[in-house]
Amino acid sequence: MAITLTNPTGLPEIDVYRQVSVATGSKLVFVAGQVAWDADGVTIGEGDLAAQVEQCYVNVATALAAVGASFDDVAKLNVHVVGWTPDKMPLLLEGISRASARLGVTPVPPATLLGVAALDVPEHLVEVEATAVVD
């Protein structure tokens, strides 16, 4: 694998991501921000943050698989949530957990969570983008 994930001494250990990733591969993969669309462009889980997070992670996995990569190759995630407030954390974690179970992986690369005013269309509540490195 081209990615090693770690939590350095002196930084807090967070369950849902690692603080640092080290990439040693030779090919960079940039996955555009994925929203909760299915293959036909229909929004999954309208009004349901957990369902949309799950679909976003599944879409990221689909994009990665198309180029021979997986969540094991992800060096960094950015998660954009409309109107983020800390009380939404349980729904975000539920969506990640459901995606993990569905995909058979535990995606824990370094991640940045950003609150945003809006995304591309009003029904989208979350968008997830990924950067991966493969050999």
Side-chain angles (χ1 to χ4, degrees):
M1 262 185 295
I3 303 294
T4 302
L5 303 176
T6 186
N7 279 319
T9 301
L11 295 177
E13 288 192 27
I14 309 297
D15 290 339
V16 295
Y17 67 89
R18 300 300 173 262
Q19 296 284 3
V20 175
S21 66
V22 177
T24 58
S26 59
K27 180 168 60 170
L28 293 174
V29 178
F30 300 94
V31 177
Q34 297 298 302
V35 293
W37 278 329
D38 67 9
D40 296 320
V42 175
T43 298
I44 302 299
E46 192 166 336
D48 182 342
L49 180 60
Q52 288 199 19
V53 169
E54 177 184 4
Q55 186 64 42
C56 290
Y57 274 71
V58 167
N59 289 350
V60 168
T62 300
L64 291 167
V67 296
S70 72
F71 266 104
D72 289 338
D73 302 305
V74 173
K76 179 76 169 71
L77 290 173
N78 289 321
V79 180
H80 304 84
V81 181
V82 174
W84 175 258
T85 55
D87 63 307
K88 293 181 181 180
M89 184 62 80
L91 293 172
L92 178 77
L93 296 176
E94 177 186 336
I96 293 169
S97 178
R98 288 171 21 187
S100 296
R102 190 167 158 189
L103 297 168
V105 300
T106 303
V108 293
T112 298
L113 173 62
L114 302 165
V116 297
L119 292 171
D120 58 329
V121 295
E123 59 267 21
H124 289 158
L125 304 175
V126 61
E127 183 171 324
V128 179
E129 63 180 299
T131 302
V133 180
V134 294
D135 289 325

